[in-house]
Each structure stands twice: as structure tokens, then as C-alpha cells.
Amino acid sequence: RHHRRTHGGGSSPAGAGEGAGVNPALVMFDLDGTLVETAPEIADAVNDTLAEAGWPVVTQGQVEGWIGQGTGELLIAALSQATGMAAAAVRLDPGLAPLSARFGHHYACRCGTRSRLYPGVNAVLEGLRQRGTRLAVVTNKETRYVQPVLAAHGLHDSFDRVVCGDTLSTKKPDPAGVLSCLVEFGATPQMALLVGDSSIDAATARQAAVAVWLLPHGYNAGQPVADCQPDRVVADFAAVAACLGLP
């Protein structure tokens, strides 16, 4: 990962006005549905796993509704849907561990095959890097799945810190991941911004007292992101760039 000097203290607070500061010292991003559209290949891997076990497959739309709590919880939701078992029963079933292992195999094979960076991501990351902004990913996806996704899209060296769903003892909406980034880079909440796509990201940011901008193109269980009352709804990464004052 790049190690750059922390940006000076003259940055505008990202939470000013309507999340208006154009020069946060630290910008944190969610991964799935924010930087990368991952649902198609996650659905493929889920259905590879279900079909192999002799169960009916699920739709990509269903998978999109389950994204957000981490891949383990997503698989439990899919197995519950396919088998008719309650999620709590699936979680306790001794068959879950081998199925999780099979899913891991299938997802490793599918990773990068049908996911894509949202348009404008690279330009925003590069513009922020040139400005000296610290960059982090804070995701609920497990480390073993995060690294291949980042690598598949050329993002493996793009961030100063990557906090995955299993990096700490808790995950979003617990603010620990965001707070750990603030500590690592010596940033106050007023110097930081979280860019995400869901109510989970909004709740995380609120608990950390950090400004949050939400993109509508991701996975928010089918609900409008405006309902989460973020500091800003940003239509796409061109809008993110404009709000950050990037060229």
C-alpha cells in the first residue's frame, strides 16, 4: 500500500453544510455497490454452490438484497431461501461449514469475471491521491474475498488501509472500522468522509460523527438511499468528483 504524508490541517470539514467540504484529509469507501458492482459474480458463486448441493438457484435481484452484512451472512440468506430453513437454523447446521468452503472456492473462481468498477472510480481515487488525501476501504466483506476483488480491478495498491468484515471484532454499522482509520491517520471526524451505498454506511458514519455521502447505484435492500438522510446523495462518481472539487 502507498504510504503518503497526512494532508495538512487546512482541510475543510467534510460535514460542513450539506457535507460540503471539498478537501477532507481522509476519504473512506465501502466496496460492494460503492466502488465495484459485484452482485453478478456473487450471484454466480452462490448459484454454483446451491446447484452443486442440489438446491434451487436464486436470482441476482435476491442476492443484491442480501449484500451488506458480509458474505457469510449472504450465503446464510441464500441457503435459507433455497432450502426453506429459517436463517437461524441454517446458521447452526453442521452442513454450513463445508458449504461455506465450497462457496469460497466458487467465488475465488468467479472473482473478477462479472464485476466491474463503477465509471469514474479511478479518476476520483487518482485525483485524491494527487491531492495527498488518505484513502481507505471499510467493508463488511471478509478479507479472503476483498483482496481478490481489489486485485481483479487494479485497486490492490490504491488504499492506505483496508478494513474488512473480519479485520476487527465488530463490523459496520459498528463504527470501530471508521474510528480505527481516524486514529491511524491522525484525522478528526470533521476531517473525514465516508462514501457508501447503504443504510449500514449511513449508520456507521453517524456513530463515528463522520460525514457520509451515499451513491444510489449500489445495494440498499431496494430502498432509496435518500431515506437514510446522508449529508449528500451523489448520483455517480462524476458527482463525487465535482463535490470534492476534483478536475
Side-chain angles (χ1 to χ4, degrees):
R1 292 175 201 162
H2 297 303
H3 289 281
R4 300 181 300 272
R5 276 183 324 200
T6 305
H7 187 79
S11 48
S12 312
E18 298 180 335
V22 296
N23 201 359
L26 166 65
V27 181
M28 296 162 282
F29 296 91
D30 173 56
L31 181 59
D32 297 73
T34 297
L35 295 171
V36 186
E37 182 188 20
T38 51
E41 67 190 23
I42 293 175
D44 290 342
V46 165
N47 285 332
D48 290 342
T49 307
L50 294 174
E52 187 177 74
W55 286 316
V57 298
V58 294
T59 67
Q60 183 179 316
Q62 287 172 312
V63 169
E64 288 177 359
W66 298 326
I67 289 174
Q69 298 284 0
T71 315
E73 290 300 309
L74 186 151
L75 183 60
I76 287 167
L79 289 168
S80 174
Q81 174 71 31
T83 64
M85 291 171 64
V90 173
R91 199 172 275 111
L92 297 172
D93 194 292
L96 179 60
L99 283 168
S100 296
R102 290 308 297 158
F103 173 78
H105 165 78
H106 291 306
Y107 193 24
C109 295
R110 294 285 193 176
C111 210
T113 59
R114 287 217 296 148
S115 55
R116 66 178 184 105
L117 279 183
Y118 288 104
V121 166
N122 279 325
V124 166
L125 296 179
E126 186 55 34
L128 289 171
R129 269 199 297 273
Q130 290 183 1
R131 189 184 270 181
T133 307
R134 294 292 195 167
L135 301 175
V137 168
V138 182
T139 174
N140 281 346
K141 200 184 197 78
E142 297 82 355
T143 305
R144 64 186 178 276
Y145 305 127
V146 170
Q147 296 304 336
V149 169
L150 293 177
H153 299 286
L155 297 179
H156 49 291
D157 285 327
S158 295
F159 299 97
D160 298 295
R161 180 171 169 79
V162 177
V163 181
C164 305
D166 53 2
T167 301
L168 305 172
S169 60
T170 58
K171 57 188 182 182
K172 299 183 296 184
D174 189 286
V178 166
L179 296 174
S180 74
C181 292
L182 297 179
V183 170
E184 172 142 342
F185 302 119
T188 64
Q190 294 74 29
M191 295 160 64
L193 169 67
L194 177 63
V195 179
D197 70 323
S198 72
S199 61
I200 294 170
D201 296 314
T204 305
R206 292 279 173 260
Q207 292 194 72
V210 164
V212 59
W213 297 357
L214 295 184
L215 292 146
H217 60 213
Y219 313 124
N220 190 38
Q223 301 304 307
V225 291
D227 291 356
C228 306
Q229 298 186 304
D231 295 288
R232 284 182 189 236
V233 173
V234 276
D236 51 27
F237 271 88
V240 173
C243 291
L244 289 168
L246 296 171

